[in-house]
Structures are given as structure tokens and as C-alpha cells.
Amino acid sequence: MDADKVFKALADPTRRTLLDRLCAQNGQTLGQLCDHLQMTRQSATQHVGLLEDANLISTVRRGREKLHYINPVPLHDVYERWVRKFEQQRLTLLHDLKRELEGE
């Protein structure tokens, strides 16, 4: 996983919107993904390209169509590397506080 590419891809609200749209309905064409974006198809294509480069989107050809699918693995890797360790410490502190307050 290239975390820098994932973070760069997630830094833009348009790319996050594209991922949200794929999460809601996986397997969309570029036209479907761009329906509600206020930008040209060329600009949207660049955003999709960055998501593909970060391995957050994979594509499958079906006839003349190119379908886009979300790939959650890089997001999970980021979670494991950057979020989970902080979450574990916080939960341990809350558990210790609870035990102390309850006099255990």
C-alpha cells in the first residue's frame, strides 16, 4: 500500500464524494459517477484516475462500458496503521477509568 497516494486521494472532497457514490452503488460507469458533479467529464476523469492510482477504485470492462468498483482494502490498511492504534489506547484508558470509578 502506498499510504501517501491514499491520503492524497482522500484529501479532496470530490474524490470522497465519488467513493461515497460507489459505496452506495458499486459498479458505476464514469457517466453515472459524474451525474451529480459540478465539473467537466475531463476533470472527473482526473479524479477517478487518482483514485485508481491509489488503488481505491478498480475497473472492469463490460462490452464498451468501463465499470468502477470501490476497493476498501487500502482504507482498511490506513485504518489499521493510523487509526486503530490510537483507538486501542483510548479504549484502554476509558476501561481503566471505569474500573477506578466503580471501585474495582
Side-chain angles (χ1 to χ4, degrees):
M1 175 191 75
D2 189 343
D4 290 339
K5 288 181 180 181
V6 173
F7 283 116
K8 180 180 178 181
L10 295 174
D12 185 85
T14 299
R15 291 190 285 274
R16 292 191 305 268
T17 298
L18 289 168
L19 289 174
D20 286 339
R21 293 191 53 136
L22 284 174
C23 189
Q25 181 185 348
N26 223 357
Q28 296 184 54
T29 65
L30 182 61
Q32 292 169 320
L33 283 172
C34 298
D35 275 349
H36 301 289
L37 297 178
Q38 301 297 320
M39 63 179 57
T40 65
R41 186 178 176 100
Q42 182 180 5
S43 295
T45 300
Q46 290 174 342
H47 284 291
V48 169
L50 283 169
L51 290 169
E52 284 179 301
D53 193 40
N55 199 27
L56 290 166
I57 289 180
S58 61
T59 60
V60 174
R61 286 240 179 239
R62 187 179 68 190
R64 296 185 323 168
E65 294 182 319
K66 184 177 178 183
L67 301 177
H68 300 80
Y69 294 88
I70 192 167
N71 178 12
V73 174
L75 294 172
H76 180 71
D77 291 344
V78 165
Y79 170 79
E80 287 292 325
R81 171 67 175 92
W82 294 100
V83 177
R84 186 180 174 122
K85 66 181 173 184
F86 299 110
E87 183 179 79
Q88 185 65 31
Q89 181 182 10
R90 181 178 58 91
L91 291 173
T92 301
L93 289 171
L94 287 173
H95 175 72
D96 292 346
L97 177 62
K98 177 184 181 269
R99 282 185 30 200
E100 187 164 325
L101 291 173
E102 291 176 350
E104 292 179 14

